[in-house]
Amino acid sequence: MASTSCPKCNARVEFEVGTKFTKCSYCSSQIFIDRSGAGFFYIIPFSVQEKDAVGLFRRWAAGPTKAKDLDKRAQLSGIKRQYFPVYQFKRDVDGKEEIRIEPAGSTTLPGLHSLKVPAGDLKIFESGYGTEGVELVKPDIEMSSYLNEMPGRPKEQALVYFPIWKVDYILDQKRYEVVVDASSGEVFAGTYPGRGSAAYVAVAGVGYVAFLAETLVTAINPVLAIILMGITLAGVFGASLFVAWRM
Ligand SMILES: [Zn+2]
């Protein structure tokens, strides 16, 4: 057995070595235990319901960078809610409080590296808090693995269960997924069917005009023209990569 003090009521809490979650026997707060000590264990309630999540997805899909009529043509193939674990680090940086959020679970889902924890919605996760059968994703990244890159001094460390909707959809026989932040309603997407060809044409057009101008420069200053052409080439290459990656 090992022991620590409850971050809420400061009572002494004993736990098996290797346990990550335990309960304070005085105030019944759920406590998250990490090699660096005990921390609060928070949960954020779902404020976006399933119907609203689908509506947010449709609105996102109707955006100007998406494939034409994606909002109408995308076939929903699955929608699922989850509590995704993130670490919240409160730090004292030169007398100012800074909050950093890092994922506590390994994931390939988009957006989970840039979640913002809404201060008002944090609930201390007490036993008896109803998760209504929603899956709690288990943290598999150690809190300590982030501590080296944290600025300032520690004020509070916590594990926060973040509510998300995972929406899967199909367009032209390809599967895609988005994450809807069920606290703020923000939509996160990795790759999605976009209006890529228009962007490629724009990049090629700008490159072509630049080359034409540089050809004129050749007559005046050939060395400068070659340097400019090199810059244009690198720019077109970089912009194409960006388009391929983002669009
Ligand atoms: Zn307690």
Side-chain angles (χ1 to χ4, degrees):
M1 292 295 261
S3 73
T4 182
S5 51
C6 170
K8 191 182 173 192
C9 72
N10 217 24
R12 197 165 180 73
V13 182
E14 298 209 315
F15 60 92
E16 296 285 347
V17 177
T19 313
K20 281 227 176 293
F21 302 97
T22 189
K23 196 179 94 176
C24 171
S25 45
Y26 296 89
C27 71
S28 66
S29 292
Q30 299 280 352
I31 298 167
F32 172 71
I33 293 160
D34 186 79
R35 246 182 267 155
S36 51
F40 279 111
F41 187 8
Y42 292 116
I43 193 157
I44 301 173
F46 274 81
S47 44
V48 173
Q49 301 309 315
E50 179 165 349
K51 163 168 77 60
D52 307 318
V54 172
L56 288 162
F57 163 70
R58 295 282 177 201
R59 204 179 318 151
W60 168 86
T65 57
K66 316 305 180 305
K68 201 170 182 323
D69 295 330
L70 177 63
D71 53 329
K72 296 180 196 81
R73 287 163 57 223
Q75 279 177 281
L76 285 195
S77 54
I79 178 159
K80 185 178 163 198
R81 46 184 193 162
Q82 279 184 338
Y83 281 109
F84 184 78
V86 297
Y87 292 122
Q88 175 179 271
F89 298 94
K90 274 192 193 162
R91 313 288 295 187
D92 181 334
V93 182
D94 303 323
K96 269 202 234 135
E97 185 177 283
E98 250 184 54
I99 294 180
R100 297 279 180 105
I101 306 296
E102 298 290 348
S106 39
T107 180
T108 56
L109 287 176
L112 300 184
H113 291 259
S114 51
L115 293 172
K116 284 170 208 75
V117 171
D121 284 349
L122 285 182
K123 302 258 178 294
I124 288 184
F125 194 11
E126 281 161 327
S127 53
Y129 183 95
T131 53
E132 292 160 42
V134 180
E135 181 194 353
L136 295 172
V137 177
K138 281 213 163 58
D140 59 0
I141 298 173
E142 292 287 331
M143 185 185 268
S144 49
S145 67
Y146 292 114
L147 289 176
N148 285 341
E149 56 197 69
M150 286 295 145
R153 288 178 302 109
K155 279 187 81 175
E156 185 194 297
Q157 273 152 221
L159 182 77
V160 181
Y161 266 119
F162 209 98
I164 60 168
W165 286 100
K166 236 182 95 205
V167 180
D168 294 317
Y169 65 98
I170 294 170
L171 184 80
D172 301 334
Q173 277 119 52
K174 275 183 82 182
R175 252 194 83 224
Y176 301 91
E177 62 192 356
V178 300
V179 166
V180 179
D181 175 333
S183 150
S184 72
E186 199 172 337
V187 176
F188 299 105
T191 52
Y192 58 81
R195 298 192 181 173
S197 56
Y200 277 116
V201 170
V203 168
V206 169
Y208 180 66
V209 170
F211 265 113
L212 269 189
E214 284 150 5
T215 311
L216 298 178
V217 174
T218 317
I220 309 156
N221 187 338
V223 176
L224 179 65
I226 286 168
I227 292 170
L228 288 177
M229 281 175 174
I231 293 170
T232 304
L233 206 59
V236 167
F237 183 68
S240 304
L241 273 185
F242 179 79
V243 167
W245 178 52
R246 293 296 299 268
M247 306 268 169

